[in-house]
C-alpha cells in the first residue's frame, strides 16, 4: 500500500483540503457581512468555526495515533467539515444567529484534520531520507492554499455572491476525500519504556512484558544453601512454605513471582481485580484519557516544542486580528469589501516564495531563529498597515507573508524533530488546535474593535505579534543532549547528541 501511495497524491489532497479551509474563512465572513451588515457578527461566525478546534484537536490526534487506517478517520473528518459548512450557509438568515454560530462551533471540531492531521501522516508516505524535502513541500501547500483560497473566495463572491463562495469551499474539501481515504495503513506503534516527557534518555533493555528494568547483573548468582536437617524433637517446617510468604515482585511490574510456583505474567489490558471484560473497558478508558493528555505533556515538557508552540500561537492571534480587519480594509482603503480578500492572496504569494527559498537553503537559519524573527517582521508590517495608504497596505501584506511562510516551515521542522513517533499525531493536532484557537481569539477580539477604530485594531495586532518574540525566549532552552533511539527525521538510524539538542 505504501508503494502505491505517492507524495504527489498526498500533496494534491492536502492542497485541496487546505484551500477549501482557507476559502471557508473569508467566504463565511463575506456571507455573514452580506447578511448581517456588521463585521461583529461576521467575525463571530469565523470565531465560532475556529474556537472549537481546541477540543477537537487532542481528541482527533489520540484517535489518529490509535487507528490502523488513519486515512479513513481523516476522510470522516472532511465529511463532517464539508457538511457543517453547508449547514452554516443554509442557516444564515433563516435560523437565529446564535444557532448558526453553534453549528459553526460543531463544524470546527474537524478543523485540525485539515492541518495537523494531514501533516502527521507524512512520515508514513515518504521514507525518512526524503522527509526534509517533503516537509518543505508540505509547508508550501499551506501557502498555496492561502493563495488560492482567499482569491477564489473574493472572486466567486464578487462574481456570483458570497453564498456561492461557501459552496465552492465545500467542493474543494470534498475533492480531498479520495486522497484522505487511501492514505497508507500503518501498524499500531507499541509504546516504549523510555520516558517521553522532557528530555529523552537512552532506552535500556526491557523485560519480556515490555516494561521495567532488566536484571542488574548478568553474572550467575551463587546457589542457595540447602535446608538444614531437622533435629530429633524439633518441629518440622511447613510442607508448603511458599504459601506463608508474600509474593515476590520482580523488576517487571506485570510479572508476579510466587515462591514455589512458576512466574506468572499478567496479560496486557487485563486487570486481576476485574472479570468478564470490565477490566478491558476500564483500561481502554484510562488509556484514552492518558493519550488525550500525552500530546500536551510532550509539548510542555520539551522546551523546543514549548517555545515554538507558544511563539507561533501568539503570532496566530495577531494573524486572526488582521483577518478580522480584512473586510473593512478592503471597503475603506481599496473601495470594496470583496477586494480585501486580494490582500490575503498577496500575503500568500510572498509566503509561498519565501518558503521555496527556505526549502532551497534549509540550513541557512535555525528553526528557532526563523520563528521569533518572523514574529517581529509581522509586527512591523501590521504597524505600517495602520497608515491607511493603499500602496503601504499591499507592501505590509507582502511582508507579512514573507514572515508567515518560513515560520510555519520552521514549526514543522521542530515538531518532526521533537515529537515521538507514537505521539506524532497528537503533537501535530494539539499544536494545530492551539494555533487555530489563538486565531479565533484574535478574530473575535479585533472584530468589535475594528468597527470602532480600524487603526487601533491593527496597532493592537502589531503589539501582539511583537510579544511573540519575548514569549519565545521566556521558556528556557534545554542544553542537555537528547539521546534518542527513535529514527531521526532525516532518516538516519540515530542522531548525535548535538543533532537533537535544544539549541535553538
Amino acid at each position: 500500500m505504501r508503494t502505491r501511495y505517492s507524495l504527489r497524491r498526498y500533496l494534491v489532497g492536502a492542497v485541496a483540503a487546505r484551500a477549501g479551509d482557507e476559502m471557508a474563512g473569508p467566504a463565511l465572513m463575506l456571507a455573514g457581512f452580506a447578511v448581517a451588515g456588521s463585521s461583529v457578527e461576521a467575525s463571530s461566525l469565523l470565531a465560532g468555526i475556529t474556537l472549537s478546534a481546541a477540543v477537537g484537536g487532542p481528541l482527533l490526534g489520540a484517535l489518529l495515533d490509535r487507528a490502523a487506517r488513519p486515512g479513513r478517520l481523516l476522510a470522516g473528518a472532511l465529511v463532517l467539515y464539508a457538511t457543517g459548512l453547508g449547514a452554516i450557509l443554509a442557516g444564515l438568515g433563516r435560523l437565529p444567529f446564535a444557532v448558526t454560530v453553534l453549528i459553526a462551533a460543531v463544524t470546527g471540531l474537524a478543523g485540525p484534520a485539515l492541518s495537523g492531521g494531514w501533516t502527521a501522516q507524512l512520515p508514513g508516505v515518504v521514507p525518512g531520507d526524503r522527509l526534509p524535502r517533503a516537509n518543505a513541500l508540505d509547508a508550501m501547500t499551506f501557502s498555496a492554499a492561502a493563495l488560492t483560497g482567499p482569491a477564489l473566495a473574493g472572486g466567486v463572491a464578487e462574481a456570483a455572491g458570497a453564498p456561492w463562495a461557501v459552496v465552492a469551499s465545500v467542493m474543494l474539501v470534498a475533492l480531498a476525500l479520495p486522497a484522505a481515504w487511501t492514505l497508507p495503513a500503518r501498524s499500531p506503534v507499541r509504546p516504549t519504556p523510555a520516558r517521553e516527557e522532557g528530555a529523552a534518555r537512552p532506552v535500556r533493555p526491557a523485560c519480556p512484558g515490555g516494561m521495567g528494568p532488566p536484571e542488574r547483573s548478568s553474572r550467575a548468582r551463587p546457589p542457595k544453601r540447602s535446608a538444614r536437617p531437622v533435629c530429633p524433637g524439633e518441629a518440622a517446617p511447613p510442607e508448603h512454605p511458599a504459601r506463608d510468604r508474600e509474593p515476590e515482585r520482580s523488576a517487571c511490574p506485570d510479572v508476579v513471582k510466587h515462591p514455589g510456583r512458576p512466574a506468572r505474567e499478567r496479560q496486557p489490558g487485563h486487570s486481576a481485580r476485574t472479570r468478564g471484560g470490565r477490566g478491558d473497558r476500564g483500561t481502554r478508558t484510562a488509556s484514552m484519557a492518558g493519550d488525550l493528555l500525552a500530546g500536551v505533556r510532550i509539548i510542555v515538557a520539551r522546551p523546543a516544542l514549548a517555545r515554538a508552540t507558544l511563539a507561533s500561537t501568539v503570532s496566530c492571534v495577531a494573524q486572526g486580528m488582521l483577518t478580522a480587519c480584512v473586510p473593512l480594509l478592503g471597503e475603506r482603503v481599496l473601495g470594496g469589501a470583496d477586494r480585501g480578500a486580494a490582500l490575503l492572496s498577496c500575503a500568500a504569494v510572498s509566503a509561498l516564495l519565501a518558503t521555496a527559498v527556505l526549502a532551497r537553503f534549509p540550513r541557512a537559519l535555525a528553526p528557532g531563529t526563523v520563528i521569533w524573527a518572523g514574529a517581529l517582521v509581522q509586527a512591523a508590517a501590521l504597524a505600517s498597515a495602520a497608515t491607511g495608504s493603499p500602496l503601504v497596505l499591499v507592501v505590509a501584506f507582502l511582508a507579512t507573508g514573507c514572515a508567515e511562510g518560513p515560520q510555519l516551515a520552521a514549526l514543522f521542522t521542530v515538531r518532526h524533530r521533537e515529537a515521538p513517533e507514537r505521539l506524532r499525531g497528537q503533537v501535530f493536532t494539539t499544536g494545530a488546535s492551539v494555533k487555530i484557537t489563538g486565531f479565533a481569539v484574535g478574530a473575535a477580539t479585533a472584530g468589535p474593535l475594528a468597527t470602532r477604530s480600524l487603526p487601533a485594531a491593527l496597532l493592537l495586532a502589531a503589539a501582539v505579534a511583537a510579544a511573540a518574540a519575548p514569549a519565545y525566549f521566556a521558556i528556557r532552552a534545554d542544553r542537555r543532549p537528547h539521546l534518542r533511539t527513535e529514527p531521526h527525521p532525516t532518516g538516519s538510524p540515530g542522531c548525535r547528541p548535538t543533532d537533537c539538542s535544544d539549541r535553538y
Side-chain angles (χ1 to χ4, degrees):
M1 189 66 181
R2 181 170 296 185
T3 57
R4 298 179 182 177
Y5 197 96
S6 62
L7 178 62
R8 181 178 302 177
R9 183 188 301 181
Y10 170 90
L11 295 175
V12 170
V15 168
R18 290 163 180 170
D21 185 31
E22 292 288 343
M23 186 178 182
L28 288 177
M29 288 193 63
L30 292 175
F33 189 79
V35 173
S38 172
S39 61
V40 177
E41 295 187 0
S43 60
S44 300
L45 198 61
L46 178 62
I49 199 173
T50 53
L51 195 61
S52 59
V55 179
L59 179 60
L60 180 63
L63 295 176
L64 284 174
D65 289 334
R66 288 168 165 261
R69 297 299 301 264
R72 307 293 172 86
L73 184 60
L74 285 178
L78 293 179
V79 172
L80 173 62
Y81 194 79
T83 305
L85 290 177
I88 293 172
L89 179 61
L92 281 175
R94 299 178 179 88
L95 298 176
F97 188 75
V99 177
T100 307
V101 173
L102 180 61
I103 298 175
V106 175
T107 304
L109 293 174
L114 284 72
S115 52
W118 277 87
T119 305
Q121 310 309 317
L122 187 58
V125 177
V126 297
D129 56 345
R130 296 172 53 191
L131 187 58
R133 176 177 175 271
N135 181 39
L137 294 176
D138 183 58
M140 291 175 66
T141 62
F142 283 90
S143 301
L147 170 63
T148 58
L152 286 175
V156 174
E158 189 172 359
W164 285 103
V166 181
V167 174
S169 66
V170 172
M171 295 176 62
L172 282 176
V173 174
L175 287 176
L177 284 175
W181 184 267
T182 57
L183 276 170
R186 59 178 174 82
S187 301
V189 180
R190 295 188 64 179
T192 60
R195 187 184 66 174
E196 293 184 346
E197 293 81 0
R201 295 181 178 178
V203 181
R204 296 184 294 174
C207 294
M211 297 180 59
E215 297 292 340
R216 295 186 177 180
S217 175
S218 60
R219 294 178 298 179
R221 296 182 178 180
K224 297 183 178 180
R225 297 179 180 178
S226 59
R228 63 180 180 86
V230 181
C231 299
E234 183 178 359
E239 184 177 358
H240 300 286
R243 298 179 181 177
D244 299 333
R245 297 198 301 264
E246 292 293 332
E248 178 185 355
R249 299 292 178 178
S250 68
C252 300
D254 286 342
V255 178
V256 182
K257 294 181 179 179
H258 292 271
R261 303 180 189 176
R264 175 173 55 86
E265 184 175 352
R266 185 176 301 164
Q267 296 297 327
H270 291 357
S271 175
R273 298 183 179 180
T274 55
R275 299 179 182 269
R278 288 177 295 180
D280 293 343
R281 292 192 295 269
T283 302
R284 287 195 296 265
T285 303
S287 180
M288 174 61 73
D291 287 348
L292 289 175
L293 298 177
V296 178
R297 289 198 300 265
I298 288 293
I299 293 175
V300 173
R302 295 190 173 177
L305 275 175
R307 301 173 96 186
T309 303
L310 179 59
S312 61
T313 301
V314 176
S315 297
C316 269
V317 175
Q319 295 166 14
M321 299 176 72
L322 177 63
T323 304
C325 298
V326 163
L328 290 178
L329 285 173
E331 185 180 40
R332 298 180 184 180
V333 180
L334 301 180
D338 296 341
R339 299 177 182 178
L343 295 174
L344 298 178
S345 298
C346 291
V349 169
S350 60
L352 185 62
L353 295 177
T355 308
V357 173
L358 183 64
R360 182 66 178 83
F361 305 99
R363 303 184 184 276
L365 293 173
T369 303
V370 175
I371 291 174
W372 67 261
L376 294 179
V377 173
Q378 294 179 52
L382 290 172
S384 62
T387 59
S389 172
L391 180 60
V392 176
L393 183 62
V394 173
V395 173
F397 272 82
L398 290 174
T400 301
C402 288
E404 290 181 7
Q407 187 185 56
L408 182 62
L411 178 63
F412 286 170
T413 300
V414 174
R415 285 178 181 173
H416 278 300
R417 185 189 67 198
E418 298 291 329
E421 182 180 358
R422 76 178 188 93
L423 296 177
R424 184 175 287 116
Q426 295 182 58
V427 169
F428 272 89
T429 55
T430 302
S433 64
V434 171
K435 290 185 60 179
I436 294 173
T437 303
F439 185 92
V441 171
T445 303
L449 181 60
T451 304
R452 298 181 179 181
S453 176
L454 183 59
L458 292 173
L459 291 177
L460 179 60
V464 172
Y472 179 87
F473 291 103
I475 300 176
R476 186 176 181 180
D478 188 4
R479 300 292 179 177
R480 297 175 298 174
H482 290 186
L483 299 177
R484 298 189 182 165
T485 57
E486 297 172 348
H488 193 272
T490 58
S492 58
C495 57
R496 298 187 303 272
T498 54
D499 292 337
C500 292
S501 60
D502 182 19
R503 62 186 183 277
Y504 302 139

